[in-house]
Amino acid sequence: MNNLIGLGVSYLFVFFVLASAAYLQKRLGISAGVTRKIIHVSVSHWWLLLMFFFDSLWYAVIGPISFIILNYLSYRYHLMPAMELKESSKNLGTVYFPVSLLVLVTLGFLDVIPLYAGAVGIFIMGYGDGFASLFGQEFGKIKMVTWGGTKSLLGTAVMFIVSAAVTGIITYVFHPLGRDPATVMMLMVVIAGTAAVVEVVTPFGLDNITVPIISALLYSRLI
């Protein structure tokens, strides 16, 4: 029964996020670039619902699979303007994010990684990449030319700082040695540094796959 409840809560949660972003765009005039990142950050919290409600892989993957399909249809037909950019015709980042969720859910339920390692990857992607993009686009003056586009030095710094914070918080809450300062600091620096580098070098929105999966796998090997 918990799995069914979790599935219902998951859909309500995601559609609430989408509806809120659409309201912000239509009523308050917030740009699609900002609402897209609001969605990006907010949806990452679905992982907490996963950890609380689900104990069956087959139920847990229904949400990510359905949103891979929904997000692709939105990308293809511009169904959700708050989530799509006019210039994103070659960027399937909104589709890649639920792909990462699907991969990490599967790895977690098959005991390849602990579920809280998946939380590290997803929250780094949600918060780290989301805030890096917002700060980098708005305030980043120093640009770095990368394969597939440009990145700002400020955005990369924000990615590192937020990723370190995410890693530290999740380690403190979930890891048996989470209150050992040396362990937490080591994990924060290594995971955040790796996430920042992977985000810089990955082109075409594929960082929505590479960053969470690599971060989660590396974290699970270090703990």
Side-chain angles (χ1 to χ4, degrees):
M1 182 61 70
N2 273 1
N3 290 285
L4 289 173
I5 294 172
L7 200 56
V9 172
S10 297
Y11 281 114
L12 288 174
F13 167 69
V14 173
F15 284 121
F16 173 78
V17 169
L18 295 175
S20 299
Y23 175 84
L24 292 174
Q25 183 185 46
K26 187 173 182 179
R27 298 295 184 183
L28 302 182
I30 296 177
S31 70
V34 174
T35 55
R36 179 184 172 99
K37 290 305 175 183
I38 290 173
I39 294 169
H40 190 76
V41 172
S42 300
V43 169
S44 66
H45 294 88
W46 176 80
W47 198 267
L48 299 178
L49 299 179
L50 170 79
M51 295 177 71
F52 183 80
F53 284 107
F54 292 95
D55 58 20
S56 166
L57 172 62
W58 304 111
Y59 281 99
V61 299
I62 291 174
I65 290 173
S66 61
F67 282 103
I68 290 171
I69 297 169
L70 177 62
N71 289 4
Y72 178 77
L73 291 174
S74 178
Y75 159 83
R76 182 71 175 81
Y77 299 107
H78 213 71
L79 301 178
M80 293 177 283
M83 198 170 66
E84 306 299 339
L85 301 173
K86 292 180 180 178
E87 63 269 25
S88 64
S89 59
K90 294 183 179 180
N91 188 329
L92 281 162
T94 56
V95 179
Y96 298 146
F97 200 175
V99 169
S100 294
L101 286 172
L102 176 61
V103 172
L104 291 178
V105 166
T106 303
L107 293 177
F109 275 86
L110 294 179
D111 293 324
V112 177
I113 62 172
L115 283 178
Y116 64 87
V120 169
I122 292 303
F123 280 111
I124 283 177
M125 188 68 255
Y127 277 90
D129 181 72
F131 282 105
S133 178
L134 288 174
F135 277 89
Q137 290 175 11
E138 187 69 24
F139 304 109
K141 304 300 182 184
I142 303 174
K143 303 293 184 180
M144 301 176 290
V145 178
T146 63
W147 182 38
T150 60
K151 304 283 185 179
S152 74
L153 185 60
L154 175 62
T156 300
V158 170
M159 179 71 178
F160 177 86
I161 293 168
V162 176
S163 298
V166 164
T167 303
I169 291 169
I170 293 176
T171 303
Y172 182 84
V173 173
F174 291 106
H175 194 276
L177 299 177
R179 300 187 183 185
D180 173 45
T183 300
V184 175
M185 186 61 65
M186 179 273 293
L187 289 170
M188 289 170 65
V189 172
V190 173
I191 298 301
T194 301
V197 170
V198 171
E199 196 271 339
V200 166
V201 301
T202 306
F204 311 128
L206 286 167
D207 57 330
N208 282 0
I209 291 180
T210 58
V211 168
I213 292 176
I214 290 174
S215 297
L217 287 173
L218 178 60
Y219 181 86
S220 69
R221 294 300 175 265
L222 292 176
I223 57 177

